[in-house]
Amino acid sequence: MDETKKKILVVEDERNIANLLSYHVKKAGYDCDVAYDGKTGLDMALEGGYDLLLLDIMLPRMTGFEICEQVRMKSQVPIIFVTAREEDKDKILGLETGADDYVTKPFSFTELMARVRANIRRSSGEVVRRPVQKSGVLRVGGLEIDRERYAVTKDGEPVELSKKDYDLILFLAENLGTAFTREELLEKVWGYDGYFGDIRTVDVTVSRIRKKIEQDPARPEYLMTKRGVGYYLNGR
Ligand code: CA
């Protein structure tokens, strides 16, 4: 096995989809392992040193959500959900398990692999898109963003954020008061270019962050919606 190759784990119980995913992942130049049930998938994800996980949601023995939750306790490996169209979108929107992204079946493999590449590039630090000032603490109201420890506190209390939550809040804090469209955020925070991103990914992440930092997520004071534009962080 080529040691420099990135390794991807596919957890999918439908054999034909698993085979297709594995085929496209390998064709894109990655190594690929497949697990056909959730429990095996979790064990492999925790042991295997993967660079990215592609998770189905409805799986025997353990759901993709449960896998994601368990993995997130130990690792920041990029996780993309591959979901069936009939599965409830609200479930995804309410997702607090810390996934980085999701695609909905049926999807194009071109699109999926673009997202895989973007997530791997970003997590391996190949994409440098930070502004010049990299260290130090940013303060926004009661929020403190510590760029050396990658940590956020609110009113002195630590806030548990996934890597993507942190990336988004840091980006908005570094551009305080400026509203960005969902497309712009996909490009700048997720590293997606062109039309491959799904803007709902941004909404999911925003709603997840709001639940963690806002007193009342329905009436945000920090992570604001600018009607007709997108999102910004309120400088106050
Ligand atoms: Ca399934």
Side-chain angles (χ1 to χ4, degrees), residues 11-14 17 56-60 82 84 87 105:
V11 187
E12 168 66 76
D13 58 323
E14 281 175 66
I17 297 178
D56 184 20
I57 293 176
M58 300 313 287
L59 289 160
V82 180
E87 279 160 11
K105 299 171 192 165

Side-chain angles (χ1 to χ4, degrees), residues 79-95:
I79 295 176
I80 300 178
F81 278 122
V82 180
T83 72
R85 197 174 273 291
E86 60 270 20
E87 279 160 11
D88 192 358
K89 289 293 184 322
D90 292 345
K91 239 194 228 169
I92 304 290
L93 287 169
L95 187 61

